[in-house]
Amino acid sequence: MVIAPLRRKVLRDLGRLWPQVLAIALVLAAGVATMILGNGAYASLSETRARYYADYRFADVFADLTRAPLALLGDVAAIDGVLQAEARIVKLGRPEFPDMVEPASILLVSLPVNPDAGLNRLHLRQGRLPEPLASDEIVVSEGFAAAHRLQPGTTVPVVMNGKRRDLVVTGIALSPEFIYALGPGEMMPDPRRFGIAWLPRATLEAAYDLDGAFSNLVLRLAPGASETRVIEALDRLTAPYGGLGATGRSEQTSHAFLDAELKQLGAMVKVLPPIFLLVAAMLLHMTLSRLVALEREQIGLLKALGYRPGSIAGHYLEFVLCIAVIGCLIGFVAGAWLGAGMAQLYARFFSFPFLVFTRDPQIYVLAAAITVAAATGGALQTVRAVLRLAPAVAMAPPAPADFRRRTGWAARLVPLRQTGRMIARHLLRWPMRSLSSIMGVAMAVAILVASLWSFGSIDHMIDITFSRAERQDVRIAFVGAEPASAVQDVRRMPGVMAAEPFRVVGARLSHGARSKRLAIEGRPADARLSRALSPDLVPMAMPGAGLILSEALAKALDVARGDLVTVEFLEGRRSLSHLPVSGISVGYVGLGAAMEIGALNRVMGEGALISGVNVSLDPAGQDAFFAAARQAPKTGFMNVTDLTVSRFRQTLAENITVMITVYVTLAGIIAVGVVYNFSRIALSEQGRELASLRVLGFTQAEVSGVILGELAVVVLVAQPLGWLIGHGIGLAMVAAFSSDLYRVPFVMGREVYATASLIVIAAALLSAIAVRGRINRLDMIAVLKTRE
Amino acid sequence: MPDDPDIVIRASGLTKVYRNGPVEVHALRGVDFAAVRGEFVVILGPSGSGKSTFLNILGGLDSASAGRVQFRDHDLTELDERGLTQYRRDHVGFVFQFYNLVPSLTALENVALVTEIARNPMNPADALDLVGLSARQDHFPAQLSGGEQQRVAIARAIAKRPELLFCDEPTGALDSTTGVRVLEALTEVNRAIGATTLVITHNAAIREIADRTLRFADGRIVETTVNTTRKRPDQVSW
């Protein structure tokens, strides 16, 4: 067994170089962990969703309408491509909890006669479904039940169509339709203020005067059926009954938010692991090259002794593979642990009856294979050099490092002291190594820049949306359209300081082949509460006739100011108009289109109607206002800006610590790994020179300055590069994450760069301190006597 | 000689014991020594006789277990790490067996490395001139022969105008002809700047160029020879 001593050497090398080995293994582990976490979470989320959808027959097409006779269902089911159609009554009610001052709403959904055969089947967590003939029984969504401590048997007073009913909870359930349960007009799920209740249709028929009629359709399509064609056919059928236009899953709120989450995960998997693996490959290359340079004579000796070049090259490859294995193992554990944490986060955010956290061995095998490939890739050049080294050449001492080429111009950097020249020339002597170390540190900065900017951007988004655009304290949406005089009723409520009406009309906007379904909002010309803002954040006056579109919508429709868009109103007379785009406004949530309320009402031709009122409140009168607003029969639901914002911030705050910890750790691992390895190698190469300088009377600080000076150059040059790369990643993220649901403003402030740099510089300083200890312990006596 | 005001360095009762686990190695066993300004001393002795330890302690690189070392009226044995560094920086020049030039600096820059931190240095070019290497001042170590590198090292050691110049086997890595060139450089700078020069060597031929030769054995000076007439380096060979 000739190989055994070499294998022992591998183990000893690993032990001897353990800090460097660990630093590299951690960078690899970060790559493996993010790969497993990202892929695992992606697979977990998409598989969970897919299985949930399949098992519980999640519908493919959704449509709301005002009122249609049940007889229409037969026609709907007969549309080519429709596998199953279900007519439901879906209405918004208002729960009344004695301990709750702020407004809440509950979505009331009728249950099919045979719930097991229906679409969007419920997953009962507790209790049972209501008896079909029981008029006061409901099943409530789990989050809502938990937020209000509802149990089977608890009574919930719900105002339905202005009448208060006491409903008894018989069960607690989940539905694939509300995995992400977002209340109307809200930005984040808040299970305290929004829940879902399922109840026999008879109860809803009676409450909403919908005997033999329905207000909502859900459809399942046959495999391969064209969603577009079905929707077109369905819209034709429902139009006479107040159909608001059907949508596919992609516009179903819960589904779309899950899609956005999956999109983000997919982006993370594409960006993070490659960064870590590249940096690790570079570190391995650096470390192995130095190891081989130091062991040149041993390699020559081994070859002279008759070891085959292959075995010797294999020995170094084994060293690298051991590091890869250590990295994989740490990465597996960290990835699995983080994955479990991510699953918990999902469980809190999304309502799934089960979570498939795939511990798919394929992901692990793939991660290991990629890691080993990256590590081997990093080692390849050095291993080839080992193969090529002739024994006689290897056993002679290496020629002194030749600084003539490449570095000559550095001598012309006149103001440098000699130690400065040493730093400059050493960096320039190995430009690839210096550059790749700079890139490595820059990546650490970039990861931070690309993650930290989002916080400022969210603040910006909140500031713009709620301090400048939507300045009302409360937005009351009526159950249906009301005469314009309704604003006077609201104005008379206690605590109201200002009230402005709005009108919301569902419409389909199209321009050429592009079309979007959304709600056009009519506002007073001189609105002071809910306003449109121009891109330079100046409030825009509502134009006399045209539309103001949000940037996102203008982009989606590919229109600019002055273009004409076709507006097909989905309510009232369902008229078709061609309206000019009078302006483009900023907006981060949803697709927005606004008009002057009078102009909108003129186009609609139904007289002066309003859908609700925006209100600014005297804080002292808030509770009295809520009480009065709740009592008003017109009130559909209310959005309270403070609650929306605080819920938004609270949800972010819950994730922010986790996110910051994860990204700072990841960046720290890269920064420490690169800086530590770089300085250890610089020290290994220059240790003898530095010890000589100590003998010549240089102080410890002066000698450390040579290595730390090199480090400082690498770390400092890396900063602007890191800012630039991080900025680029941030821009790519904005593009990747933007959807019809929300857009993220790109706000990159100096404080983001500063924070990222400070964190990376702190990590670099820690590594520098570790290396400084070694510099201080340089053996001065040895250099007098020994050759390198 | 004990009270000679020209005495630059003096050691008395110098003892050094290395502990290697349970084993005690006595590298120096009570060495007394003094050298005057400008003196050229050659130290001979077999490996392990204590001559390098002696030079290291005098040079402020190592500390004695017992005894005293005085540089002029300063007691080296009382100095801490910082004080010893300052002592080396201001007063001592070293020449190494393997030159130990900084490969990333040219000959001139290697010399300037030291003059930049010295109190009263020579012009680096003058120091190189003194060892006959003016023409090679812009060459990097990789472009210089071993002998040339060693002469740059000597120029670097003396450019600060040290009172003491310590050389450990300065010709050990060189052939005879090149070695002679290096010795010429050493005697030349010894004469020019008046530095007290201590040269460790295995090469007995070199003693003939010295004022005084010490022979070390078993941690002691066992023989001191004073040359009444010094030979020139080109008169010796090995």
Side-chain angles (χ1 to χ4, degrees), chain A residues 724-771:
Chain A
L724 210 67
I725 297 171
H727 192 102
I729 297 177
L731 273 177
M733 279 164 71
V734 167
F737 295 169
S738 288
S739 63
D740 286 356
L741 298 174
Y742 54 84
R743 291 196 327 145
V744 188
F746 188 65
V747 183
M748 187 68 89
R750 268 176 302 182
E751 69 283 355
V752 173
Y753 297 138
T755 313
S757 290
L758 280 177
I759 292 169
V760 169
I761 288 171
L765 276 178
L766 283 181
S767 321
I769 289 169
V771 173

Side-chain angles (χ1 to χ4, degrees), chain B residues 6-49:
Chain B
D6 266 358
I7 287 183
V8 178
I9 186 120
R10 180 204 300 275
S12 44
L14 205 58
T15 300
K16 179 71 184 180
V17 183
Y18 293 107
R19 280 193 183 74
N20 191 359
V23 188
E24 286 195 346
V25 180
H26 288 260
L28 292 177
R29 300 168 187 266
V31 174
D32 298 313
F33 169 79
V36 295
R37 186 174 177 280
E39 197 177 359
F40 194 109
V41 181
V42 163
I43 303 172
L44 295 170
S47 292
S49 60

Side-chain angles (χ1 to χ4, degrees), chain A residues 88-170:
Chain A
R88 309 189 299 183
I89 297 173
V90 177
K91 290 288 176 184
L92 203 61
R94 215 169 58 234
E96 293 214 321
F97 294 104
D99 59 336
M100 201 170 166
V101 181
E102 66 269 34
S105 47
I106 189 163
L107 194 69
L108 304 161
V109 181
S110 67
L111 283 165
V113 181
N114 177 5
D116 276 346
L119 296 176
N120 304 340
R121 231 153 46 87
L122 297 186
H123 172 87
L124 264 182
R125 286 288 218 196
Q126 265 187 62
R128 57 168 179 85
L129 292 176
E131 292 295 336
L133 297 174
S135 61
D136 62 347
E137 289 185 351
I138 54 168
V139 165
V140 290
S141 56
E142 191 179 45
F144 186 71
H148 295 284
R149 302 212 188 102
L150 303 179
Q151 295 284 333
T154 318
T155 302
V156 184
V158 178
V159 176
M160 299 158 80
N161 205 14
K163 290 191 204 84
R164 189 180 139 129
R165 293 281 301 271
D166 282 336
L167 301 173
V168 180
V169 175
T170 61

Side-chain angles (χ1 to χ4, degrees), chain B residues 43-61:
Chain B
I43 303 172
L44 295 170
S47 292
S49 60
K51 54 187 194 302
S52 287
T53 306
F54 176 67
L55 201 71
N56 290 344
I57 295 174
L58 260 52
L61 296 174

Side-chain angles (χ1 to χ4, degrees), chain A residues 536-576:
Chain A
D536 47 0
L537 306 181
V538 177
M540 300 164 85
M542 284 294 131
L547 283 163
I548 288 184
L549 304 186
S550 70
E551 285 173 314
L553 180 58
K555 202 172 161 210
L557 293 177
D558 190 24
V559 291
R561 213 178 139 190
D563 288 350
L564 278 181
V565 287
T566 309
V567 181
E568 178 194 351
F569 289 101
L570 300 171
E571 293 178 35
R573 294 183 309 168
R574 306 181 78 86
S575 60
L576 194 73

Side-chain angles (χ1 to χ4, degrees), chain A residues 404 425 688 694 702 784, chain B residues 81 89 100 104 109 143:
Chain A
R404 265 173 298 176
R425 293 218 180 102
R688 196 177 146 73
R694 289 282 289 128
E702 284 165 339
L784 290 170
Chain B
E81 167 57 39
R89 187 176 183 122
N100 293 26
S104 56
E109 289 163 355
Q143 299 167 278

